[in-house]
Amino acid sequence: MDLRIFTEPQQGATYDTLLTVAKATEDLGFDAFFRSDHYLRMGSVDGLPGPTDAWITLAGLARETKRIRLGTLMTAGTFRLPGVLAIQVAQVDQMSGGRIELGLGAGWFEEEHKAYGIPFPKEKIGRLEEQLEIVTGLWATEVGKTFDFHGTYYDLTESPALPKPAQARVPVLIGGHGATRTPRLAGRYADEFNMPFASIEDTERQFGRVRAAAEEAGRPDGALTYSNALVACVGKDDAEVARRAAAIGREVDDLKANGLAGSPAEVVEKIGRYAEAGAQRIYFQILDLDDLDHLELISSRVQSQLT
């Protein structure tokens, strides 16, 4: 079971804070550091000092870490043109020595688009499908050849399809709860399917849909990795769990029902149930980025039992 750290910097974090968490992620033996791709805070937090850009952040971390993989859950397809995104991700992959993964989604948070003047199109899934075909097609084009694409939303003519990533194939993550189109896209394009903030029952059901879609697309068994993202609130005792829950404005009972919360033993047991549903990788959503002791506890008392 791979364990990864997943952050939500739009809620309030500087690059230096993210760097500190990423270095702790590496030092404590976690597999990867991921971040969301949002420009506006959610809920009642003030979001100060303001947003950081996902791919600028990852470019910096690429040069300041050595081992961990780096990526997004999920880059919003509405934020970047697919040709530009392919260049950005390829460059950051080169900067990291081949440690980048691209989570790509349709985009959903209309308020942040309004706040920063970003178009929010009505038809997003069709655009996402074209974006996936373009980004993966550009990377797969042989050096010296060109890439053309003529779709409903995007048009590329004689693209040199450069630069290339350091990896032969940058892993692409697709995720979500959609019952039809999401599994179809994942079955065709994804190296990993991520089920965010879902029950064990919903996870098992969606993983089944994605496996069926991958089989229909002619992909071999085992072609995709299956993962969950869940909010983390782990404590040595009940008092520590309650303190960490209060720090992120959540109730302990809700976190235990819908996340990975409680003692290390409780969290290990729950991860085991997600594994029985098919999960091979867990992203711990860490909301209090100043609480590095939380990461240390998860590493020493949870990760040590699962890896």
Side-chain angles (χ1 to χ4, degrees):
M1 177 68 72
D2 291 337
L3 302 185
R4 296 180 162 191
I5 299 302
F6 166 42
T7 62
E8 300 274 6
Q10 76 278 354
Q11 300 301 89
T14 65
Y15 171 75
D16 286 340
T17 298
L18 296 172
L19 174 60
T20 298
V21 175
K23 286 188 171 181
T25 298
E26 186 160 80
D27 292 343
L28 291 169
F30 293 103
D31 181 60
F33 174 92
F34 271 58
R35 60 156 291 163
S36 60
D37 188 11
H38 287 294
Y39 291 138
L40 193 67
R41 59 107 177 108
M42 302 170 195
S44 59
V45 300
D46 59 26
L48 294 175
T52 50
D53 181 84
W55 287 101
I56 292 175
T57 297
L58 294 176
L61 297 180
R63 306 302 290 176
E64 300 202 63
T65 58
K66 295 180 175 62
R67 177 189 60 80
I68 52 172
R69 299 191 67 80
L70 302 164
T72 51
L73 282 181
M74 300 281 186
T75 285
T78 48
F79 286 179
R80 297 166 180 87
L81 297 171
V84 174
L85 181 63
I87 292 170
Q88 291 173 320
V89 176
Q91 182 178 0
V92 180
D93 194 52
Q94 291 174 1
M95 293 168 69
S96 74
R99 294 183 285 123
I100 292 298
E101 303 186 9
L102 170 63
L104 186 58
W108 62 270
F109 190 21
E110 186 172 5
E111 287 81 357
E112 68 187 336
H113 294 74
K114 291 178 179 177
Y116 287 96
I118 303 167
F120 189 70
K122 182 178 180 180
E123 177 48 61
K124 293 181 285 297
I125 296 295
R127 290 175 183 271
L128 174 62
E129 183 165 10
E130 291 192 8
Q131 290 165 340
L132 287 162
E133 186 169 350
I134 291 166
V135 170
T136 57
L138 287 167
W139 291 338
T141 299
E142 294 180 21
V143 174
K145 296 186 178 181
T146 59
F147 176 82
D148 289 80
F149 180 87
H150 307 291
T152 302
Y153 306 103
Y154 303 103
D155 198 284
L156 286 74
T157 301
E158 295 186 0
S159 171
L162 297 171
K164 301 301 184 192
Q167 299 174 88
R169 181 183 175 96
V170 172
V172 172
L173 288 73
I174 296 173
H177 296 251
T180 304
R181 291 191 290 180
T182 296
R184 180 176 60 81
L185 290 181
R188 181 176 177 187
Y189 293 105
D191 299 282
E192 177 178 336
F193 179 76
N194 180 264
M195 190 61 168
F197 314 116
S199 69
I200 294 165
E201 295 75 19
D202 288 345
T203 292
E204 188 169 23
R205 186 179 304 112
Q206 187 73 332
F207 284 176
R209 292 179 182 131
V210 174
R211 286 194 189 91
E215 183 178 355
E216 186 175 338
R219 310 261 316 262
D221 187 42
L224 277 74
T225 296
Y226 293 87
S227 65
N228 287 91
L230 295 157
V231 63
C233 183
V234 189
K236 293 189 294 291
D237 52 38
D238 290 345
E240 191 167 81
V241 174
R243 175 176 63 77
R244 289 198 162 112
I248 61 174
R250 302 285 291 273
E251 297 294 329
V252 171
D253 288 346
D254 173 65
L255 289 168
K256 286 190 174 185
N258 300 302
L260 297 173
S263 69
E266 287 177 286
V267 170
V268 168
E269 188 274 334
K270 191 163 187 181
I271 290 174
R273 287 192 279 143
Y274 276 98
E276 290 173 358
Q280 300 160 286
R281 179 173 289 157
I282 297 291
Y283 292 80
F284 285 87
Q285 186 195 44
I286 302 297
L287 296 177
D288 184 355
L289 298 182
D290 295 318
D291 186 1
L292 298 183
D293 289 340
H294 194 195
L295 298 186
E296 196 283 329
L297 179 65
I298 295 169
S299 172
S300 64
R301 300 282 296 279
V302 176
Q303 180 174 236
S304 62
Q305 298 187 59
L306 295 171
T307 57

